[in-house]
Amino acid sequence: MTGQRSDARRNYTHILAVAEAEVATQGAQASLEQIARIAGVGSATVRRHFPTRKALLEAVFKQRVHDLCDRAHTLCGEHDSRSALVEWLRELLAYSLAARGLADVLSYQPLQDEAAQDSCASAIGAAGALLLRKAIDDQTVRADITIDDLLTLIVGIALATENYTDPAMQADRAFRVAVAGFGANGT
């Protein structure tokens, strides 16, 4: 945004605020045209700032994703690496349910193929990979588990439960089953 005219910066900020509110209520499928109408700008203005739906969603979630990444770095210092990883995944799941649309952003394409290094998916993947690597090194998580496996699990649970009457309760139950396993002895 550096070098933009002040009215363009104001438009960007206003469109982003409107988009945040619309995505919070409508999810990732929030209408770009509706966002433009509410913001009082043309749809071309919205598309100039956010050329794709994914670009808009990335901007909406940028700060919160940054906070999740910071949380992962903090949890890396925990003694129990598996518990730290599980706690972070639980927080990511809770945020994915609260911020409708984040799971959609993370599910656009496999994380290892993500082109933009500063994208939400890349940032979340890198942060989670630190926790996962520590847990694998501590032999508290199987060595064949990848961050893509875990994020696919979180995205799947978030998307599968977002329309339940109580999505947080259902998502937590599914998460606990996934973490514990479904065998009689937890395997």
Side-chain angles (χ1 to χ4, degrees), residues 1-2 35 42 48 55 59 62 68 82 91 94 100 118 122 133-134 142 150 161 175 180 184:
M1 298 222 3
T2 305
I35 290 168
R48 190 168 33 258
K62 186 175 185 175
L68 282 166
R82 184 178 190 282
E91 290 175 20
R100 293 188 61 200
D118 63 344
S122 292
R133 173 55 34 212
K134 188 170 188 275
R142 290 186 354 221
L150 296 176
T161 60
F175 181 76

Side-chain angles (χ1 to χ4, degrees), residues 37-160:
R37 263 191 302 283
I38 294 169
V41 298
S43 59
T45 300
V46 171
R47 293 193 189 281
R48 190 168 33 258
H49 289 289
F50 308 102
T52 65
R53 178 176 304 281
K54 184 177 180 186
L56 176 72
L57 292 171
E58 291 275 348
V60 165
F61 298 124
K62 186 175 185 175
Q63 181 57 51
R64 291 180 184 117
V65 165
H66 177 75
D67 294 344
L68 282 166
C69 293
D70 284 349
R71 181 71 174 132
H73 289 283
T74 299
L75 287 168
C76 274
E78 293 291 317
H79 177 69
D80 185 341
S81 56
R82 184 178 190 282
S83 291
L85 175 63
V86 169
E87 182 177 336
W88 184 78
L89 290 169
R90 188 182 305 275
E91 290 175 20
L92 176 59
L93 177 58
Y95 180 64
S96 295
L97 291 169
R100 293 188 61 200
L102 179 61
D104 292 280
V105 168
L106 296 177
S107 69
Y108 268 95
Q109 58 189 358
L111 297 174
Q112 70 244 19
D113 297 336
E114 190 71 36
Q117 291 303 313
D118 63 344
S119 72
C120 290
S122 292
I124 290 288
L130 293 173
L131 288 166
L132 176 60
R133 173 55 34 212
K134 188 170 188 275
I136 289 171
D137 290 348
D138 292 347
Q139 298 179 353
T140 60
V141 172
R142 290 186 354 221
D144 65 327
I145 301 297
T146 69
I147 192 60
D148 286 349
D149 296 333
L150 296 176
L151 295 180
T152 298
L153 176 68
I154 296 304
V155 166
I157 292 171
L159 293 175

Side-chain angles (χ1 to χ4, degrees), residues 7-23 32 34-50 56 59-60:
D7 61 330
R9 285 190 303 273
R10 277 192 307 273
N11 274 347
Y12 177 91
T13 302
H14 182 61
I15 292 166
L16 187 56
V18 169
E20 287 174 349
E22 280 296 296
V23 169
L32 298 180
Q34 178 69 8
I35 290 168
R37 263 191 302 283
I38 294 169
V41 298
S43 59
T45 300
V46 171
R47 293 193 189 281
R48 190 168 33 258
H49 289 289
F50 308 102
L56 176 72
V60 165

